[in-house]
């Protein structure tokens, strides 16, 4: 014994000089693991509570700088320090990754460190205990021995114990083990934690995400790892209820791999298409697109064919004009194709009136929530109609009554690179009137005020640029100016498709399964080890079980059952 | 033989408590290796051989240098253009070196690329102006569906060969893409009748320098430079 203690002391001395010893002590410390978990929880909370640098500008220092300037309003002089220490990019900070890595290693060290002894208790359990153990074990019980003592063994076996019997000269000894393998539950849980961490690391370093915004009939590339997909949007569908609330968005897409059709599928928000491990999910919908084509009539060649997303809006006033007889001269929603400063307007010829009228709107206040209508008659003399009318009001000028009901909106875009009749390319103001939201399956939506839309009528396209003026072009309708034929191919919808591949998906599922299995083993199937000493007079039980087991109560029940069974066996014999 | 009770009567009721130091390898290095092995396994599963795409036909880069003194795979001005053979959208085959004696513009493009679409009429017009004088244009499309490419070519009146670079081999060789990841298109290589790259231009062949394009006069000058 003295020699063993000396050897241990010698080994302890060796540990103290080992460069790994301090690391090992730290990594095997449960307190350290709990400290790490607590620290990670705290910084994760900071990462959730504090604003974080948006991912799309993370690699752009100038954009990050502007973003930080915005944060100075909240955090004042501390902003720079918080940025330096990574509080605005918690989950991408090197120290966060380092903390997670240390936790992974610590958990792994703990598992490796504790696995062998626990495995030994499963594979080679201690089957005999000294007699003194029956007097001082934490869980123990005793009861009078009935019959030959075989009843206890039978009761234990019926309770799914694995039982071994060791007869001795004055007594018989039993060792019973139940759910021995569930001692591994702790490791299963720890393995789950490691797998979660690895999944996080895998996701952070190998995850792929890309956003596509595609118009119907068009395709966009996805530059995945070492390959390129093309995603073609065949149809984007937005369905709305009568109140304009969205019911469903979906996209019918075709995925091409190396130019060959690989998959044709429908993608929704919750049910994405999958191909080659990539998920293609519906991320956005936009209904106001217009397909415009320009053809050179001298060659017959198409020189421009674009699907324009009309993200902007232009005001469109609803105006009614009556003459003194009450006859309606105009009752329409006007498309304004001219802009002077903050005033939008257009020329209108009224039936039976000599000169043209210029109708325009401008914001009535600082915001564009309310508008006023400008009526300007191109005529000489004081009687010419020139007046300002507030929204919802009417005015009489030059014998005509002008009623300004309100302002709707037209989707619009200042498009670049449009071929102009002069032969150059330039800007053109494109707006779509009477545009309904959605495809043939869709009812009208409420993204814009479209109360003026007549669903029975097709959308109309208006294009105005240098020496270019197209009015009231309906789908498939063309207009030729100079050498160019302009065709409104029709209204098109756009879909935002999120392409994502997260290699950690399966790991997360595996980790979740392991975690639930480990917890289940620990909580619902705790191991019970029971030793019994059976003398002719009394039977002594002692055992070890998990904290959640009321083992002494179970022992008493075993005792009662054993007594009943022994008596029943006795009666049968008699 | 029946087991005997231990002489000291010790029952290990908490085998999961911290164990004694068992050496640097077993206590520290081994756990780190376990973590590394898990990570390496996942990495291998995702990147194992066979996952990468490989060409299935004879098309692609034929010869990179052909006597040029540049060991790199990029088309450099003053150096011989990497030779290649590609299928056209019509099903024919075009080999760059077969066009020796002609001035060649190799234009890398795709239908999803807005500047590519917008410059295509300019290429069509340039071809119309210079084809009689020995200009050939090869429009190399990047991995798109042949039907879509043919439809586009028909609408835009493209009469020069439209080539299908299905595996990005040629685009990678010309450094237009890296592993099919586009660096920038449209890009045009102006190659003279000797097969030497005289100039390159990244951007649309129209719109003038103020819009990132090229002036008409500059385009004509570059074409004149490569004509036989």
């Amino acid at each position: 014994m003295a020699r063993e203690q000396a050897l241990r002391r010698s080994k302890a001395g060796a540990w103290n000089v080992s460069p790994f010893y301090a690391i090992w002590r730290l990594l095997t410390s449960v307190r350290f693991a709990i400290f790490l978990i607590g620290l990670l929880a705290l910084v994760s909370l900071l990462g959730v509570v504090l604003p974080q640098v948006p991912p799309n500008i993370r690699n752009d220092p100038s954009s990050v700088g502007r973003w930080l300037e915005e944060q100075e309003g909240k955090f004042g002089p501390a902003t720079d320090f918080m940025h330096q220490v990574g509080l605005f990019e918690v989950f991408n900070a090197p120290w966060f990754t380092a903390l997670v890595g240390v936790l992974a290693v610590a958990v792994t060290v703990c598992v490796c460190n504790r696995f062998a002894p626990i495995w030994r208790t499963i594979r080679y359990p201690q089957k005999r205990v000294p007699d003194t153990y029956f007097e001082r074990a934490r869980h123990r019980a005793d009861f009078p021995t009935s019959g030959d003592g075989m009843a206890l063994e039978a009761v234990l076996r019926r309770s799914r114990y694995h039982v071994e019997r060791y007869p001795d000269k004055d007594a018989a000894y039993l060792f019973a083990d139940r759910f021995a393998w569930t001692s591994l539950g702790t490791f299963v849980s720890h393995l789950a934690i490691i797998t979660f961490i690895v999944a996080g690391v895998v996701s952070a370093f190998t995850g792929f995400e890309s956003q596509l915004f595609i118009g119907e009939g068009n395709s966009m590339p996805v530059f995945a790892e070492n390959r390129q997909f093309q995603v073609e949007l065949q149809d984007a569908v937005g369905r709305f209820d009568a109140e304009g609330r969205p019911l469903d968005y979906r996209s019918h897409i075709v995925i091409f791999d190396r130019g060959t059709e690989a998959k044709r599928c429908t993608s929704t928000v919750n049910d994405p298409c999958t191909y080659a491990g990539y998920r293609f999910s519906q991320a956005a919908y936009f209904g106001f697109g217009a397909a415009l084509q320009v053809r050179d009539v001298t060659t017959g060649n198409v020189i421009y064919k674009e699907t324009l997303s009309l993200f902007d809006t232009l005001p469109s006033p609803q105006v009614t004009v009556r003459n003194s007889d009450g006859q309606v001269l105009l009752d329409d929603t006007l498309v304004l194709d001219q802009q002077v400063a903050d005033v939008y307007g257009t020329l209108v010829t009224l039936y039976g009136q000599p000169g043209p009228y210029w109708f325009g709107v401008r914001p009535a206040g600082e915001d564009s929530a309310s508008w006023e209508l400008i009526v300007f008659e191109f005529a000489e003399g004081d009687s010419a109609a020139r007046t300002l009318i507030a929204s919802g009001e009417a005015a009489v000028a030059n014998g005509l009554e002008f009623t300004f009901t309100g302002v709707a909106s037209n989707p619009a875009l200042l498009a670049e690179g449009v071929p102009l009749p002069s032969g150059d390319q330039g800007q053109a103001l494109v707006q779509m009137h009477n545009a309904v939201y959605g495809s043939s399956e869709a009812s009208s939506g409420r993204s814009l005020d479209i109360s003026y839309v007549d669903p029975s009528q097709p959308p109309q396209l208006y294009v105005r640029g240098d020496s270019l003026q197209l009015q009231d072009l309906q789908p498939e309708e063309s207009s030729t100016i100079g050498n160019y034929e302009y065709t409104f191919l029709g209204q098109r919808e756009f879909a935002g498709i999120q392409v994502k591949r997260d290699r950690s998906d399966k790991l997360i599922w595996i980790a979740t399964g392991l975690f639930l299995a480990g917890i289940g083993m620990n909580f619902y199937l705790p191991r019970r080890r029971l030793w019994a000493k059976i003398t002719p007079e009394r039977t002594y039980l002692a055992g070890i079980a998990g904290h959640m087991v009321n083992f002494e109560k179970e022992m008493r029940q075993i005792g009662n059952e054993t007594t009943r069974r022994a008596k029943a066996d006795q009666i049968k014999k008699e | 033989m029946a087991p005997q009770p231990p002489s000291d009567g010790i029952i290990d009721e908490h085998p999961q408590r911290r164990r004694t130091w068992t050496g640097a390898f077993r206590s520290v290095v081994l756990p780190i290796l376990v973590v590394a092995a898990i990570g390496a396994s996942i990495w291998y599963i995702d990147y194992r051989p066979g996952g990468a795409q490989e060409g299935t036909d004879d098309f692609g880069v034929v010869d990179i240098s052909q006597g040029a003194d540049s060991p790199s795979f990029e088309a450099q001005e003053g150096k011989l253009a990497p030779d290649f053979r590609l299928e056209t959208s019509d099903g024919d085959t075009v080999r760059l070196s077969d066009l020796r004696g002609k001035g060649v513009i190799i234009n890398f493009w795709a239908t999803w690329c807005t500047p590519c679409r917008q410059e295509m009429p300019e290429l069509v017009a340039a071809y119309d102006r210079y084809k009689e004088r020995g200009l050939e244009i090869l429009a190399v499309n990047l991995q798109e569906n042949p039907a879509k490419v043919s439809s586009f070519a028909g609408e835009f009146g493209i009469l020069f060969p439209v080539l299908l670079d299905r595996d990005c081999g040629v685009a990678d060789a010309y450094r237009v893409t890296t592993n099919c990841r586009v660096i920038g298109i449209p890009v045009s290589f102006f190659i003279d009748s000797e097969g030497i790259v005289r100039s390159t231009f990244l951007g649309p062949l129209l719109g003038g320098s103020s819009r990132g394009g090229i002036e008409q006069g500059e385009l004509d000058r570059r074409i004149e430079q490569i004509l036989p």
Side-chain angles (χ1 to χ4, degrees), chain A residues 121 124-130 175 529 531, chain B residues 5-6 9-12:
Chain A
T121 69
Y124 309 106
Q126 185 173 328
K127 297 177 179 175
R128 287 289 302 273
V129 292
F175 170 66
R529 280 178 290 170
W531 292 268
Chain B
I10 295 173
I11 299 288
D12 188 358

Side-chain angles (χ1 to χ4, degrees), chain A residues 182-247:
Chain A
T182 63
S183 297
L184 296 173
T186 303
F187 298 111
V188 176
S189 304
H190 281 66
L191 189 60
I193 293 171
I194 296 170
T195 311
F196 273 126
I197 293 171
V198 171
V201 173
V202 168
S203 177
F205 286 97
T206 69
F208 174 86
E209 186 172 342
S210 178
Q211 303 283 347
L212 308 176
F213 187 66
I214 320 173
E216 284 173 327
N218 294 332
S219 61
M220 289 291 287
V222 180
F223 300 114
E225 294 111 336
N226 298 322
R227 64 201 308 176
Q228 184 191 139
F229 302 126
Q230 311 284 336
V231 181
E232 182 179 302
L233 177 67
Q234 295 215 312
D235 189 17
V237 179
R239 290 178 55 242
F240 304 86
D241 66 12
E243 301 299 318
R245 289 185 292 260
L247 297 173

Side-chain angles (χ1 to χ4, degrees), chain A residues 362-379:
Chain A
R362 69 180 185 189
E366 290 187 357
D367 56 20
S368 58
S370 58
W371 299 80
E372 55 188 7
L373 180 74
I374 302 168
V375 179
F376 188 96
E377 181 186 3
F378 284 89

Side-chain angles (χ1 to χ4, degrees), chain A residues 398-478:
Chain A
N398 199 16
L400 300 177
E401 182 191 58
F402 298 89
T403 304
F404 177 30
T405 310
V407 167
S409 298
N410 281 339
L413 177 74
L414 190 62
E416 300 277 352
V418 178
L420 301 171
S422 60
D424 295 329
Q425 294 186 340
Q427 290 184 332
L429 181 63
V430 180
Q431 61 178 314
M432 195 160 50
H433 185 58
N434 202 47
V436 293
Y437 209 62
S439 66
S440 56
E441 292 182 61
S443 64
S444 52
R446 296 286 180 188
S447 267
L448 292 177
D449 178 8
I450 56 161
S451 53
Y452 61 90
V453 167
D454 180 358
S456 66
Q457 296 297 315
Q460 299 138 22
L461 195 72
Y462 290 74
V463 183
R464 187 180 182 86
D466 184 19
S467 67
L468 171 64
Q469 184 158 10
L470 305 172
Q471 289 188 341
D472 194 19
L473 275 186
Q474 298 191 3
E476 304 296 334
E477 190 178 356
S478 300

Side-chain angles (χ1 to χ4, degrees), chain B residues 27-174:
Chain B
S27 297
V28 178
V29 178
L30 183 62
I32 292 173
L33 287 177
V34 169
V35 173
I38 293 172
S41 303
I42 294 163
W43 201 263
Y44 176 77
I45 289 167
D46 276 328
Y47 289 95
R48 64 187 181 278
Q53 297 171 32
E54 293 172 2
T56 56
D57 47 41
D58 294 331
F59 299 110
V61 176
V62 175
D63 192 344
I64 297 301
S65 59
Q66 282 201 345
D69 56 2
S70 169
S72 69
F73 279 14
E74 57 193 336
Q76 296 178 338
E77 292 181 17
K79 303 285 174 59
L80 204 58
D83 192 16
F84 59 81
R85 178 170 49 226
L86 284 177
E87 182 187 7
T88 72
S89 59
D90 299 330
D92 296 332
T93 299
V94 168
R95 181 170 173 162
L96 177 62
S97 56
D98 290 343
L99 299 175
R100 292 284 165 79
K102 287 186 171 185
V104 179
I105 298 175
I106 302 175
N107 175 260
F108 289 90
W109 72 289
T111 65
W112 47 260
C113 157
T114 303
C116 303
R117 292 195 300 268
Q118 293 182 342
E119 75 163 359
M120 199 53 83
E122 192 63 39
L123 276 174
V124 170
Y127 184 67
D128 198 40
R129 287 200 302 275
Y130 289 100
K131 66 182 175 187
E132 298 301 331
R133 294 179 56 195
L135 176 69
E136 190 59 90
I137 297 177
L138 303 179
V140 181
N141 177 271
L142 302 180
Q143 286 212 323
E144 289 195 281
N145 179 22
K148 190 178 187 68
V149 173
S150 293
S151 169
F152 182 91
E155 283 184 335
F156 279 72
I158 299 174
L159 299 177
F160 44 81
V162 177
L163 309 181
L164 304 174
D165 191 6
R166 293 176 188 272
D167 60 2
C168 300
V170 175
D172 276 355
Y174 275 73

